[in-house]
Amino acid sequence: MALEEGARSCLLRFRQKLEEDIKPTYLMDHMISDGVMTVDEEERIRTQPTRKDQAGALIELLLRKDNLAYISFYNALVREAYDDLASLLHRDLPHISLNPHKGSSDGSATYVQSMLSEGGIPQRPVVFVNRPELVNRAREKLYRLQKEPGWITVFGMAGSGKSVLAAEAVRDHGIIEDCFPGGVHWLSIGQVDKPDLLVKVQSLCFRLEQSLDSQPLHRPPNSLDEAKERLRFLMLRRYPRSLLILDDIWDSTVLKVFDIHCRVLLTTRNRSLTDSVSGAKHEVEVESALDENKALEILALYTRIKLQALPEEARSIVRECKGSPLVVSLIGALLREKPNRWRYYLSQLQMKQFKRIRKSSSYDYDALDQAMAASIEVLPDEHRDLYKDLTVLQKDVKIPAKVLSVLWDLEPEEVEDILEEFVNKSLLFVDNNSKPYLYYLHDLQIDFLLEQNRTQLESLHTKVVRQYQQHYRDGPPTSGDEESLYWIRYLTYHMAKANLTQELYSLMFSLNWVIIKAKIMGSAHLINDYVEYGSILDQENSEVRSQFQEFLSLNGHQLEQRPFPDVVQLALSQPPNSEVYKQARLQAQNRTKAGKLYFDLVNKSGVDNLSRLVIHPHQGSIYSACFSQDGTKIASCGASKTLKVFKSTSGEKLMEIPAHDDEVLCCAFSPDGRLLATCSSDRKVKVWNGERAMLLRTFEEEHEEQVNHCQFTNTSGRLLLATCSNDDIQNVKLWNLNKPSSQNTMFGHFQPVNHCCFSPDDKYLSTCSNDGTLKVFEVSSANEWKTINVSDMFTDNKEDVFVKCSTWTADGKRVICAARNAVLVFDVETSDMLFEIRTNRMSTVQYCHACPTSNLLAIAFSNYAVELWDLEANKKMADCSGHLSWVQRVQFSLDGSQLLSCSDDQTIRIWETKKVHTSSAIRLKRDSDVLFNHEEIIVSAADNCNRLQVRDGRTGSVLFQSEEKSSRIRCTCICRQPSAVVLGQEDGTVQCKCVFVCTCALCARRQG
């Protein structure tokens, strides 16, 4: 389809004006996402020397493309606020007719089925009744995502058929071909914590990468921020114009991981969830009840009776079921096997004998209770007991038949036959897209089972544990298939629910279990277990529990590496009194008998602990914490939507305020400590009296998306507040607290701005954005002064570079920013990069802050660590370990004597930075070694060229000399048998050199 003549003429007519004004890099992302431009074409345009040349190359490309490319270019201009240029092109927009009903041939059906199967879209239920009006409403909303990304919320009460509707809406050739040629990808979410959500996103990224014609190029992302970045790249670059379906969303915080400017359909019970994300939003309401005719149609399909021939009891049954698709299906499945029991099942529904202790106010469960009870009643006695065992399943968890084969002690084939019976009776659901098939219960069915069996829960979970122990008495499953994943993930859950405390202690205080679970699941789930079951473990030994937690917080990032590291060697770095160290030493001693080599550090006691205080202020993640300028108070905020203030010396709570309607993303003290500012996902900025907990001012009109960061000027002379947000254009603002609206808006970023920071003298404001740049604005004029293209510093791959934060050195001459796994230091005057701190590739930098009184820089990581670096020496000075989840922020006190860090683990930790010196981070002691053996004396030491030498102590002759080492040799040790010398280097590497250095007769005979 060639470009229409009118559109071509329009491009040529306004070509000069377009080339003068547009920034092609901002526009091409949208065009790639729309599928009208390839990554290779974008690369060719980017290689042009100037912006104007790039613009010219883009116009040339458009002239060779079709109408869809012209429309995409026009939409990109609108999104990037080139409204004047877009208006020039509007009159000649091509008209493209859409036919949502095309493609009904067998070939089209095969294409649709193949596309949906690849994306994991659930198949239709056993008995399916179409709801055309509702489906067409959903498809009409889907067509609105054809030209631009956005969100469709399918909402309704539990059991109303939201998931079936979502799957049916995309089961259409026209929808896929016109709107989502990049595919449709389904992800079930449910009620999840952060580790479980990370696993789900990792699984989605792996699935998307695996579908490409190449091996996945990356390790799994090990933080939600990193996972979001990976998913954004895949959805916008590799799968442009695709649809992501998120099934069963409960929490708005989950949606923020998927707020990546792509096309999303979600199912939920809460219609307001998308208020916290950016982009166009559409809604489809699913009525809680089927209309009477549709419910009767379900009964007719189950019983194979014509609709008109249904008995008179059918309408009464539908009324008693209150139109719930789930309940009607349960009754229909019963009637299929007992077609003469219409009156009996009607009377069962009318009895209402099951009264729940905990009953939801938003849903009438009576009909479901009667239907479930009746369905279970007709099962054979032995199958009824087996179905009761399913009470132990968690919501939103799917299991393979092999797990139930272990639980029931039956052959897998027999188990599959029983599960098929449950599925046919609508007592269970099956995911046919998975291999092997995975089975699961509806949330309402689990609620019913929990109520009916609440007095037997402990014994049911005990059965699970005992059957596991019997089946895996020779050791846990380590294959990594669906069965082993279930046991490794949920065994601790079943032990805790069964109150099998001794078994839980033995399992979780075992280094072997840590090795197995870390290898299969990663470290996040492990750490979460020690937090979740901490109160149980502490009854046995709180000290051992904290030792295992500390080991994981120190080494969690190492456990994400592939090939998988030797955990025993890692554990040997723990203090000698640690249970982790004791178990590791025992294993190392046993393994050395088989010829394995381990190293045990001898100077661990010389490592200083900088930790001074731990505070647990909030339920939920803590996103921000800060010192008052006098260092006496700490303010914190996070997922709990509250603002709290504490004494920094004791952690005593001074104030608590329900601050916002959504997560509070940042808080900041004014220079005099009297005011506090907060900003939130609810798009509001608030200023509080920090002494009386009183709201002074709310700014809620100007930011249209979530506000990410806020900061006061460093001095009170001319007090201003800076804020930044996810808005497309007006995303950085300065506020004078005496005015009702912003004093200035700083223009320059066209993607979300993550952070803003005043220079020490308050003359400049640095801002960091998802557009890959750090900008410096003059505060007095609000004009852009400098732009540093941080993304240019990362040339290893084409993934987008998000600049997370910036900080200034005390003299104001250097500005430092964080992106990916690096911290980059720039000269403010010249914009030159002075040096970079490239950290562990297994983690991303979350935040950094420069000390106001020294050369120290604090860096917070996604791998739970905090590190202190000397900016002058570009050298790590200390590790601050102890957090059990992603560290969100760090900040020095004004005098530099203290550092605070806050984390998703719900804690704030305060560290004493005055203790920092080189030995705070482990360094091997520079030393020599001497071997006395009969008449022989052998000496090993490093020479002035950083080579290891081994010499004869009597003659001084060189027996061995290594090559020159790039990292300083810090220690050496000689082994008598076998004759070898070992060296340790400052970068942490240890090398063993096998050399025959001993020449005495005895050793010579042994060597011979």
Side-chain angles (χ1 to χ4, degrees), residues 778-796:
E778 294 177 334
V779 172
S780 59
S781 64
N783 290 330
E784 182 181 325
W785 180 51
K786 300 270 186 185
T787 295
I788 299 174
N789 211 324
V790 179
S791 58
D792 288 348
M793 309 300 160
F794 297 85
T795 57
D796 50 342

Side-chain angles (χ1 to χ4, degrees), residues 853-975:
T853 59
S854 73
N855 293 319
L856 286 180
L857 176 73
I859 307 174
F861 292 96
S862 62
N863 66 7
Y864 321 154
V866 175
E867 293 181 0
L868 294 177
W869 285 69
D870 186 322
L871 285 172
E872 291 302 319
N874 190 10
K875 178 179 179 182
K876 186 169 77 168
M877 303 300 291
D879 291 298
C880 302
S881 61
H883 282 298
L884 303 174
S885 190
W886 301 296
V887 183
Q888 297 288 0
R889 193 153 301 185
V890 286
Q891 189 197 41
F892 286 98
S893 59
L894 189 63
D895 64 3
S897 65
Q898 300 181 93
L899 173 75
L900 67 74
S901 57
C902 63
S903 165
D904 281 356
D905 66 7
Q906 306 177 22
T907 67
I908 296 171
R909 289 179 176 264
I910 300 174
W911 315 87
E912 294 182 278
T913 56
K914 62 187 178 185
K915 289 185 179 180
V916 175
H917 47 80
T918 302
S919 64
S920 298
I922 293 177
R923 290 289 184 271
L924 301 174
K925 183 179 177 183
R926 188 170 183 85
D927 207 352
S928 60
D929 194 24
V930 181
L931 174 64
F932 297 96
N933 192 358
H934 301 286
E935 298 300 316
E936 297 287 336
I937 301 175
I938 308 297
V939 180
S940 67
D943 66 12
N944 58 1
C945 295
N946 203 39
R947 298 172 299 193
L948 181 70
Q949 289 190 357
V950 180
R951 291 176 177 263
D952 185 310
R954 292 188 180 278
T955 65
S957 60
V958 177
L959 303 175
F960 170 80
Q961 180 175 288
S962 73
E963 70 279 7
E964 185 175 334
K965 300 295 181 182
S966 58
S967 178
R968 186 179 179 187
I969 297 172
R970 283 288 186 174
C971 74
T972 177
C973 179
I974 302 173
C975 177

Side-chain angles (χ1 to χ4, degrees), residues 39 89 129 175 201 247 290 422 492 547 711 724 733 766 862 866:
V39 175
L89 306 186
V129 173
I175 285 283
V201 183
D247 186 39
L290 294 168
F422 292 164
T492 50
Q547 288 167 357
Q711 186 185 3
C724 57
K733 292 181 178 290
S766 60
S862 62
V866 175

